[in-house]
């Protein structure tokens, strides 16, 4: 195995828990459409693009709508979602993340964001983490969604890294698959039973020791 030099972070569910805001905003849209939307259904939307998320909700409710209505709901949902984002601050950074970012910077590693979200930059700004990132690849930069490796391969390219020098932190199954498809080391953040395909899984960043990261770096 190559030494790890570049650390790619997913955003939602890895750096911050914005899934709860996506849930509230999607629930409102689903209710308008007369579709029941539960926390379990919300799991299906993690790591998935905005357009695909609405398609899934419509499939759940067995409902068809016009293209104009589809676009209107997407816009409404994003407006609602942004009203939650507006209130975010550094207290919403998930435990252990800031320490990990500082450690990587101190070691001279590259830090990259690899997210499906088109709102990634405003969120990083709100929580005050922008300065840590050497490159940001988000939903505005890619045409293919995870599990396609495009988002992570572009992150490698923008930091002149080879895929085998990159490690990806991801909370979604599709994201782990995207990292594996990119030929990168995949680290799942969440439950082992769910993220079975990851090379390693940790409940959160407080469980990732510096010794573990040092080993990957000095391999
Ligand atoms: P937006 P990630 C993903 O972010 C979320 O997990 C997913 O639930 C969301 O639908 C997607 O971003 C698009 O977000 O509506 O803000 O463009 O986990 O890839 O950082
Ligand atoms: Mg995620």
């Amino acid at each position: 195995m190559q030494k790890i030099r570049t650390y790619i972070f997913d955003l939602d569910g890895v750096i911050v828990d914005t899934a709860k805001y996506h849930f509230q905003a999607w629930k409102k849209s689903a209710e308008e459409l007369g579709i029941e939307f539960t926390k379990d259904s919300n799991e299906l939307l993690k790591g998935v693009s905005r357009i695909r998320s609405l398609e899934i909700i419509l499939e759940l409710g067995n409902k068809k709508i016009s293209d104009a209505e589809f676009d209107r709901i997407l816009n409404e949902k994003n407006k609602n979602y942004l009203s939650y984002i507006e209130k975010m601050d550094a207290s919403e950074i998930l435990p252990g993340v800031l320490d990990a970012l500082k450690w990587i910077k101190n070691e001279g590693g590259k830090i990259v964001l690899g997210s499906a979200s088109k709102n990634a930059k405003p969120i990083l700004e709100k929580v005050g983490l922008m300065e840590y990132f050497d490159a940001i690849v988000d939903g505005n930069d890619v045409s293919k969604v995870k599990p396609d490796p495009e988002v992570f391969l572009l992150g490698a390219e923008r930091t002149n890294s080879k895929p085998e020098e990159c490690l990806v932190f991801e909370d979604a199954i599709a994201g782990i698959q995207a990292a594996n498809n990119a030929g990168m080391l995949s680290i799942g953040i969440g439950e082992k039973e769910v993220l079975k395909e990851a090379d390693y899984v940790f409940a959160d960043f407080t469980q990732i020791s510096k010794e573990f990261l040092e080993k990957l770096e000095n391999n």
Side-chain angles (χ1 to χ4, degrees):
M1 198 171 80
Q2 278 259 344
K3 294 179 181 194
I4 297 297
R5 300 252 171 275
T6 302
Y7 300 77
I8 306 183
F9 287 73
D10 172 53
L11 180 66
D12 293 341
V14 168
I15 295 179
V16 284
D17 176 22
T18 36
K20 59 183 182 227
Y21 302 137
H22 280 298
F23 174 63
Q24 286 168 29
W26 279 128
K27 194 170 164 56
K28 196 158 183 251
S29 305
E31 271 165 9
E32 251 182 55
L33 288 162
I35 299 172
E36 196 197 350
F37 187 65
T38 62
K39 285 228 154 125
D40 282 345
S41 326
N42 195 49
E43 288 300 308
L44 302 172
L45 310 187
K46 286 190 177 171
V48 164
S49 72
R50 199 180 307 166
I51 291 177
R52 183 66 200 129
S53 297
L54 183 50
E55 286 170 356
I56 292 173
I57 292 172
L58 290 168
E59 282 163 22
L60 288 172
N62 217 351
K63 210 165 169 150
K64 287 202 164 50
I65 55 174
S66 68
D67 289 354
E69 182 67 350
F70 192 95
D71 288 347
R72 189 192 65 78
I73 292 170
L74 279 189
N75 283 333
E76 270 296 303
K77 185 268 167 180
N78 199 48
K79 247 173 59 194
N80 279 326
Y81 178 64
L82 288 175
S83 70
Y84 295 113
I85 298 311
E86 194 52 44
K87 296 177 203 118
M88 286 182 86
D89 61 29
S91 66
E92 297 209 35
I93 300 169
L94 289 170
V97 170
L98 195 56
D99 270 357
L101 291 171
K102 284 183 176 161
W103 181 86
I104 297 166
K105 269 267 162 290
N106 199 38
E107 296 291 308
K110 298 249 170 68
I111 301 179
V112 176
L113 190 86
S115 165
S117 174
K118 293 188 169 174
N119 297 303
K121 283 181 186 154
I123 294 172
L124 284 183
E125 263 158 22
K126 279 279 163 198
V127 300
L129 290 181
M130 208 59 168
E131 61 175 301
Y132 287 92
F133 288 84
D134 296 292
I136 291 177
V137 185
D138 65 20
N140 301 294
D141 300 309
V142 293
S143 55
K144 297 179 209 120
V145 294
K146 301 169 186 174
D148 189 281
E150 186 184 14
V151 62
F152 298 141
L153 289 174
L154 200 54
E157 199 181 303
R158 289 187 181 171
T159 50
N160 296 316
S161 315
K162 294 187 213 139
E164 57 270 32
E165 295 171 328
C166 298
L167 164 169
V168 176
F169 296 111
E170 253 293 348
D171 69 313
I173 298 168
I176 293 294
Q177 290 167 340
N180 293 341
N181 289 338
M184 299 176 179
L185 192 77
S186 55
I187 312 267
I189 303 294
E191 291 174 32
K192 272 204 175 82
E193 301 70 40
V194 179
L195 304 174
K196 290 191 224 40
E197 295 170 56
D199 292 311
Y200 301 91
V201 180
F202 297 93
D204 60 44
F205 274 84
T206 64
Q207 305 299 309
I208 306 179
S209 68
K210 298 296 173 294
E211 292 72 29
F212 172 77
L213 292 175
E214 262 158 21
K215 248 191 220 155
L216 300 180
E217 192 190 40
N218 298 315
N219 220 313

